[in-house]
Amino acid sequence: MSVTINGSLPRAAILACLFALVALLSSTSAVSAPTKLGTPTLTTGNPTQTTIDVTFTAGTGGAPAGFTLQWALESDYILAGNKWPAISCEASFSGNANGGGAFSLQNAGDHITLTVPTFPGLTPGVGGFSTDDPGCLTPLVCGTTYVFRAFSHNVPQGLNRSDFSAVVTGTTLPCSTGCTLTQGYWKTHGPIPVGHNTNTWPLTSITLGTVVYTDVEALMILNYAPVGNGLVTLAHQLIAAKLSVANGAVPTPAVAAAIAAADALIGGLVVPPIGGGFIDPSVSGTLTDTLDAWLNANDCSNPV
């Protein structure tokens, strides 16, 4: 008796094995392939009284679509049980937006340093930079510790967003270092704080001329538009100057003389909107400019 072996059987078996091997390799590859971007890292440095620099460094896969940075008061973080607090600030830096190339970090280790919360050179809604709360862009509080964290954005049709970075801290410089704070700072850090700020005014009443105003009244004056009234414009700078001096700024003899001259010029006039006093800007302009120049030249936002 003779036995005939079908030659197609070995080939079929070999093909079946190959298909099974390919399927196994594909399955293994799918399981081992990363599904999201690596966790970024943050470092802080170069603090001023009102800002802290934060450096974002991309993890594995970079951050080609950009990233989001969050910050909050450390005191709120601790109060929440060392968990991210409900009250915090956030800014997004899109690498996909038109003009957002600076925020597209292609490789692990690529980094960018940002000055929080003023972000010099950036405008909300332009070039990939955005924030949902304009109040978050007001200066930080001097002598205060903040916490920061960040994550890398989803890559379109690719990797998912990263995990949050580890939480890092940064502390602004102490309040009394001889520098000044302009009216823009005092407006947002007064008895009725703006956004997530706190009241840092060192005075609860301020004398302008011979009239004493409560801190709330002084804040109303700061928020009142001059509309051609030199008394209001001078009062804005005088309030900022007196708050800065009370906060530790040391005026030059010329500035001290200007403060005294401003009080003498104002006298018993009651500043709008509290009263109806008026001074022609041509009369108060020199004193206003002197105080404004001193406040800006010694602004605590500049490193000291």
Side-chain angles (χ1 to χ4, degrees):
M1 174 183 288
S2 63
V3 178
T4 303
I5 299 176
N6 189 340
S8 65
L9 290 178
R11 287 194 296 272
I14 292 171
L15 288 174
C17 289
L18 288 174
F19 284 130
L21 180 60
V22 169
L24 177 61
L25 291 174
S26 297
S27 175
T28 302
S29 175
V31 170
S32 62
T35 60
K36 62 183 179 181
L37 294 165
T39 305
T41 58
L42 295 180
T43 55
T44 61
N46 192 35
T48 70
Q49 285 195 333
T50 57
T51 64
I52 297 173
D53 283 0
V54 178
T55 299
F56 174 96
T57 302
T60 303
F67 57 93
T68 289
L69 175 67
Q70 297 179 345
W71 64 98
L73 289 168
E74 184 190 45
S75 57
D76 288 343
Y77 177 78
I78 294 173
L79 189 62
N82 290 331
K83 295 181 180 179
W84 201 256
I87 299 177
S88 65
C89 285
E90 177 177 295
S92 177
F93 305 87
S94 173
N96 296 324
N98 183 28
F103 308 129
S104 180
L105 307 180
Q106 297 295 319
N107 306 300
D110 287 353
H111 60 275
I112 184 171
T113 299
L114 302 160
T115 299
V116 180
T118 55
F119 303 108
L122 301 180
T123 302
V126 178
F129 170 57
S130 64
T131 179
D132 293 334
D133 185 354
C136 286
L137 303 181
T138 58
L140 301 179
V141 178
C142 53
T144 303
T145 300
Y146 291 81
V147 289
F148 303 86
R149 68 177 185 176
F151 66 86
S152 301
H153 294 169
N154 294 342
V155 177
Q157 300 177 344
L159 301 178
N160 295 330
R161 53 160 280 189
S162 72
D163 292 331
F164 275 105
S165 67
V167 174
V168 300
T169 61
T171 304
T172 52
L173 294 181
C175 296
S176 297
T177 59
C179 58
T180 60
L181 290 161
T182 63
Q183 60 172 303
Y185 176 89
W186 297 120
K187 282 182 183 179
T188 57
H189 295 75
I192 305 176
V194 174
H196 302 291
N197 297 316
T198 58
N199 180 10
T200 62
W201 281 27
L203 301 173
T204 55
S205 65
I206 297 177
T207 301
L208 304 176
T210 59
V211 180
V212 179
Y213 301 85
T214 66
D215 54 355
V216 173
E217 290 174 332
L219 181 61
M220 291 172 64
I221 293 171
L222 280 180
N223 286 314
Y224 189 75
V227 195
N229 188 342
L231 173 60
V232 177
T233 306
L234 178 59
H236 287 174
Q237 302 301 338
L238 187 56
I239 290 171
K242 290 192 172 185
L243 287 171
S244 292
V245 170
N247 196 50
V250 180
T252 64
V255 170
I259 291 174
D263 277 326
L265 178 61
I266 293 172
L269 295 174
V270 182
V271 184
I274 310 305
F278 178 86
I279 295 177
D280 191 288
S282 64
V283 176
S284 58
T286 299
L287 290 174
T288 300
D289 291 344
T290 298
L291 297 179
D292 180 54
W294 176 65
L295 290 165
N296 281 283
N298 299 278
D299 186 3
C300 295
S301 296
N302 299 317
V304 296

